[in-house]
Amino acid sequence: MNSRLLLIDDDARLTDMVGDYLQAAGFEIDVAPNLATARQKLEQGVYDLAVLDIMLPDGDGLDFCRELRRDARLKRLPVLMLSARGEPMDRILGLELGADDYLPKPFEPRELQARVKALLRRAEPDMQGVEVLRFGRLEVDLAARMARLDGKPCDLTSHQFDLLVVLAQSPGRVLSRDQIMDSLKGHPLEAFDRSIDVHISRIRAVIEDDPKTPRRVLTVRGAGYVFARKQDAEGHA
């Protein structure tokens, strides 16, 4: 599945060039020319990584990086900072404020792509050998084929459990209905993607505190579904 990146930079020529290059490499790209647009896009969608310029027309990228790290939903979002200021202190400050990597301008698009891929690999959860996936109060026990909320078994059918596993094994990633159906090949799933919505609704009825305001399985309008990395308050995590 394609990773979704947000480029936050007011240099249209650079974002066009880098965006085209990364799209050709298989990434989905959104562009925000300022911090106001970046906040809006991050509120409305889910991204796997942000490429953030330090100097923006409506604020400082370093301050915005600090803001992201204070946001419970976004504090684990990988951030690659860009800057025309290549001074070592700028790089150190960016990393101290929570950036995962720092790339001075000008740079080769190929190097940016390599750094992006490295950050995404680091952020990818290691599921090898894992039998129980834990997300706050929710556990998905792969070996027992059972989900538990607050230690109590959730009443899911076998198919609903398999669908939950597909989502839970890619936390923070937006999965389209087609991607979900591809992962469930071999299951007696109806041949139209809206059947996914019905199954998601039934799963939410079991694992959500309030199915009308879900915090575990989220809808990304026009894109699909995402299983939230952070689902409960800090005290329950």
Side-chain angles (χ1 to χ4, degrees):
M1 67 193 68
N2 295 341
S3 297
R4 193 178 184 197
L5 313 182
L6 179 61
L7 305 184
I8 309 171
D9 198 310
D10 63 331
D11 185 339
R13 190 177 67 87
L14 182 143
T15 55
D16 286 346
M17 176 188 69
V18 169
D20 289 345
Y21 186 88
L22 293 175
Q23 280 183 326
F27 296 100
E28 295 181 14
I29 305 297
D30 278 351
V31 176
N34 51 54
L35 295 180
T37 304
R39 290 187 182 97
Q40 183 180 31
K41 288 183 176 293
L42 287 167
E43 182 177 344
Q44 294 175 347
V46 177
Y47 294 89
D48 297 296
L49 183 143
V51 179
L52 172 64
D53 189 28
I54 284 184
M55 301 177 67
L56 291 155
D58 57 347
D60 188 293
L62 292 171
D63 291 335
F64 188 63
C65 185
R66 185 189 292 114
E67 178 183 324
L68 293 176
R69 294 310 178 226
R70 290 175 177 170
D71 188 316
R73 189 175 69 88
L74 298 170
K75 65 182 180 181
R76 290 184 175 84
L77 176 71
V79 175
L80 171 59
M81 297 205 76
L82 304 177
S83 178
R85 306 190 313 229
E87 295 297 324
M89 282 307 300
D90 290 323
R91 181 165 60 253
I92 292 169
L93 182 57
L95 296 173
E96 286 181 344
L97 290 176
D100 298 278
D101 201 354
Y102 185 105
L103 185 60
K105 296 178 179 180
F107 55 83
E108 290 291 332
R110 186 174 179 179
E111 181 178 3
L112 175 63
Q113 178 185 327
R115 289 174 181 259
V116 164
K117 287 183 175 180
L119 289 179
L120 291 173
R121 283 196 300 270
R122 282 162 49 186
E124 189 72 26
D126 183 8
M127 298 299 179
Q128 186 174 0
V130 175
E131 292 191 343
V132 180
L133 309 179
R134 293 183 173 87
F135 303 90
R137 296 157 50 219
L138 178 68
E139 294 182 350
V140 181
D141 190 330
L142 305 182
R145 291 187 56 78
M146 178 184 295
R148 304 182 189 90
L149 185 63
D150 293 327
K152 299 178 181 179
C154 299
D155 185 16
L156 296 172
T157 67
S158 178
H159 179 70
Q160 289 165 5
F161 177 80
D162 289 336
L163 176 51
L164 178 61
V165 169
V166 169
L167 295 168
Q169 287 184 325
S170 297
R173 292 287 187 90
V174 179
L175 300 181
S176 69
R177 293 177 182 85
D178 286 343
Q179 289 171 326
I180 293 171
M181 291 178 73
D182 285 344
S183 298
L184 292 169
K185 279 183 176 176
H187 291 259
L189 187 66
E190 295 91 335
F192 55 95
D193 63 6
R194 289 296 170 183
S195 64
I196 293 289
D197 300 341
V198 176
H199 291 293
I200 293 292
S201 178
R202 291 171 181 167
I203 290 171
R204 281 174 172 163
V206 175
I207 70 170
E208 299 283 0
D209 296 318
D210 180 1
K212 294 182 179 179
T213 310
R215 297 180 61 183
R216 306 183 192 285
V217 181
L218 310 178
T219 300
V220 180
R221 186 171 299 177
Y225 294 100
V226 60
F227 191 82
R229 286 193 180 100
K230 192 71 174 179
Q231 302 180 2
D232 296 303
E234 291 291 339
H236 296 291

